[in-house]
Amino acid sequence: MGITLPLERAIGGRFGPYGGRYVPETLVAALDELAALYDRARSDAAFWAEYDRLLKDFVGRPTPLSEAPRLSAEVGCRVVLKREDLNHTGAHKINNTIGQALLALRMGKRRIIAETGAGQHGVATATVCARFGLECVVYMGAEDVQRQALNVYRMQLLGATVVPVESGTRTLKDATNEALRDWVTNVPTTHYIIGSVVGPDPYPRMVRDFQSIIGRESRAQVLERTGRLPSAVVACVGGGSNAIGMFSGFLDDSAVALVGVEAAGEGIASGHHSATLSAGRPGVLHGSLSYLLQDADGQVAPAHSVSAGLDYPGVGPEHSWLRDSGRVRYESVTDDQALAAFQRLCRTEGIIPALETAHALAWLADSARGWRAEDLLLLCLSGRGDKDVAHVAALTRSD
């Protein structure tokens, strides 16, 4: 197996004007080493054979497509779910951590650091570190430590050291800041497994390639099952790894609408949201030029979402390029809409989705969409919601 990324989408580590490297000099050599190694690995059949074997035997791929008949009846057309929640560890994140762990082993780096918001990337990183006998340190905003206590304990069970970050908004942005500080200090021994399609080159294209398994599988599966491509493909967007992985299988199919759904929080007009592509403007965050939530002085603005995994003021640079090109439509839904969609899928399909995914579900199920009976909708169910149950319970009342 090999991965081919179309050149127009990543020239010199950029997607159009977005991406690049905006990092301290101390990280340039590490990024050069990683980029050179990954570029060699992309054409190395042995690397991809090992990656594919682990996805099959350890992660449990391919993940299935699930029909959603009761949800379909409510929406008014056929809805099919790509079940990334059925991966080992319960989300799409492990597709990336497996690949990066194999690269770290090739570099001889036995200490791994990561950032996490909802905790799923932290769990996936801790899992592969346990599998390969690597030291693991995960940075997590103190606010997220509280609302994702289950995943914190899972990481600790797997042998990871979880470091709560008390600075700033105490969420994902601040956890990423601390992970970058660690990496600057410990470059010779440490590999930083970034969890989304963000950060300096080569991370956005590398993580996208590892997550592209979602789109490749989905395209083949939906064609086999239905004999046609979907009318629309929908995914939630925070940093954007599940969405870019899903969209990658359909970017060249012009008849397929691609929709990324961000977190509108308490409403975009309120200022308390994470709708970067809807309300942000280009700027630099965590080593990359992309859309960014900023105040009038160009300072990074606080983000807000009921979902820890979407509570981030930036987004991957490829998403910014896809927004400007018009190939992907980016929408947003509020906390309340996502909470309602979370409960709707539980009760109609017996599936507890991640709060991140619930944002995409809320957009898809909105009656204002005007779907036709003949439409076929494919949604990336990026993760399971076990991690969110206590948080949702504290915010809502059971019937």
Side-chain angles (χ1 to χ4, degrees), residues 21-31 180-181 183-185 187 200 286-287:
R21 289 183 188 172
Y22 300 83
V23 297
E25 187 66 28
T26 49
L27 289 182
V28 171
L31 289 167
L180 284 167
R181 291 188 185 102
W183 197 25
V184 167
T185 305
V187 162
H286 298 145

Side-chain angles (χ1 to χ4, degrees), residues 308-389:
L310 303 185
D311 199 345
Y312 184 66
V315 69
E318 188 171 5
H319 282 293
S320 295
W321 181 78
L322 290 168
R323 173 200 181 277
D324 286 1
S325 73
R327 178 63 187 96
V328 180
R329 173 181 176 184
Y330 293 93
E331 302 280 354
S332 62
V333 303
T334 66
D335 290 347
D336 288 345
Q337 290 172 305
L339 287 167
F342 177 95
Q343 295 174 85
R344 181 186 298 114
L345 194 69
C346 294
R347 294 172 181 175
T348 59
E349 299 297 340
I351 298 171
I352 302 175
L355 270 175
E356 291 79 12
T357 296
H359 286 72
L361 285 161
W363 183 86
L364 178 149
D366 188 331
S367 60
R369 301 281 81 83
W371 303 116
R372 302 167 299 172
E374 62 270 25
D375 284 331
L376 171 62
L377 308 181
L378 176 60
L379 182 138
C380 184
L381 208 163
S382 59
R384 67 182 185 226
D386 307 50
K387 65 185 177 61
D388 297 311
V389 168

Side-chain angles (χ1 to χ4, degrees), residues 114-134:
E115 85 299 324
T116 197
Q120 287 301 114
H121 174 59
V123 170
T125 302
T127 296
V128 298
C129 286
R131 172 66 176 74
F132 294 117
L134 304 173

Side-chain angles (χ1 to χ4, degrees), residues 70-92:
R70 295 187 64 208
L71 180 63
S72 297
E74 290 191 5
V75 172
C77 66
R78 188 176 180 182
V79 177
V80 181
L81 308 174
K82 177 58 171 170
R83 299 294 303 281
E84 291 300 291
D85 60 314
L86 296 181
N87 280 325
H88 179 44
T89 73
H92 68 291

Side-chain angles (χ1 to χ4, degrees), residues 21 29-42 202 205:
R21 289 183 188 172
L31 289 167
D32 283 343
E33 177 189 23
L34 179 60
L37 177 68
Y38 180 60
D39 287 342
R40 291 194 300 272
R42 290 178 75 196
R205 59 189 174 92

